[in-house]
Amino acid sequence: MNNDDMYEKKYQILRQQNLDAWTGEGYARAWEQLNHIFDMLNKENLLPAPPAKFLELGCGNAAMSSQLMAQQGYDVYGVDISPTAIKWANERFLSLNLKGHFHVDNISNISHFTSESFDIFFDGSCLHCINGGDRLNCFAEIKRLIKPDGSLIISTMCGLPKQQEDINNYNYENYQLYQNNQPWRTLKPLDFLKEEIITSGFSILYTHVNENPWWDHATIVCVKQIIA
């Protein structure tokens, strides 16, 4: 089973079990943490005001940042590789009387939008699911679709694994965690992650790291580099 099939199967199971989101029974904790992240960003004046155009990468069933931003008056869009997740997202927004636009798409090759369409890109724990050359393609797509003065917010795993099982399944040469002998997550030390972002054509305005017992989690706000 490839990763695309794995995500589709996971969303089918989540929906069958009537759970709230990808986070399953941890949804309340994840929602609280998400609100904390956006509170921090607002206090730092790092978010354009609504109704700025917002795109969530790997939006799932839109129960996280898409829902939060729609409730605050942003013009919300989302993409995800899972058809079940996107169908669920559209139905969820309809049931909550929220306006949003959600599409099945590959975040390394987004087909639904024209260049410089969005004021805000939000990667909510999606970038660390992308491995190898697909990461370069993903950054290239963000750079193509973000407006010249737009903001990219990356919320991603970082650091090195801390639990023994993860350490045993971590490849220090390519910074990947393996599951069932296949690359599962990209987990880079913060400095290497920031280097990747800068090399991909973005300048970093803000970084915040939550330290956890398993691995750390970074929130990084970026803008496109200005070419003189």
Side-chain angles (χ1 to χ4, degrees), residues 1-197:
M1 181 183 294
N2 63 35
N3 283 343
D4 293 354
D5 293 337
M6 180 188 71
Y7 294 130
E8 170 63 8
K9 183 65 175 178
K10 176 70 178 285
Y11 275 111
Q12 290 174 358
I13 293 170
L14 289 167
R15 186 129 210 222
Q16 289 168 2
Q17 294 177 343
N18 200 31
L19 293 170
D20 289 299
W22 178 269
T23 48
E25 294 179 358
Y27 178 67
R29 175 185 175 276
W31 179 256
E32 181 181 1
Q33 180 62 27
L34 179 72
N35 278 267
H36 176 65
I37 288 171
F38 276 93
D39 284 346
M40 286 192 306
L41 299 180
N42 276 313
K43 287 177 182 177
E44 297 289 336
N45 295 314
L46 291 167
L47 291 177
K53 199 169 179 181
F54 173 93
L55 176 65
E56 181 178 10
L57 301 176
C59 64
N61 70 334
M64 294 294 289
S65 67
S66 288
Q67 179 175 324
L68 179 64
M69 298 300 270
Q71 289 170 339
Q72 295 180 6
Y74 286 87
D75 185 12
V76 169
Y77 293 74
V79 293
D80 199 283
I81 200 70
S82 164
T84 294
I86 292 302
K87 184 174 185 292
W88 190 359
N90 284 305
E91 291 173 357
R92 181 184 185 88
F93 263 50
L94 184 63
S95 71
L96 295 172
N97 198 28
L98 294 173
K99 184 179 179 181
H101 316 269
F102 303 102
H103 304 279
V104 177
D105 219 330
N106 186 325
I107 65 172
S108 297
N109 185 22
I110 300 171
S111 61
H112 281 87
F113 311 112
T114 57
S115 298
E116 298 185 356
S117 292
F118 295 96
D119 300 290
I120 310 173
F121 265 79
F122 185 74
D123 158 60
S125 297
C126 184
L127 181 63
H128 60 230
C129 299
I130 307 171
N131 301 304
D134 285 343
R135 291 172 69 88
L136 293 173
N137 296 333
C138 179
F139 277 115
E141 281 294 84
I142 295 170
K143 194 173 178 182
R144 178 179 70 84
L145 291 170
I146 197 169
K147 293 182 180 180
D149 58 348
S151 299
L152 165 62
I153 304 164
I154 298 171
S155 180
T156 185
M157 293 163 42
C158 73
L160 295 174
K162 302 176 184 180
Q163 301 293 317
Q164 191 59 53
E165 181 179 358
D166 294 323
I167 292 170
N168 293 343
N169 289 290
Y170 185 70
N171 186 316
Y172 287 85
E173 294 182 1
N174 59 20
Y175 310 111
Q176 290 177 349
L177 277 171
Y178 280 68
Q179 188 177 80
N180 299 322
N181 296 317
Q182 293 184 340
W184 176 64
R185 296 288 185 265
T186 296
L187 182 54
K188 290 189 174 186
L190 180 61
D191 286 346
F192 291 5
L193 176 61
K194 292 167 76 172
E195 180 182 353
E196 178 186 22
I197 292 167

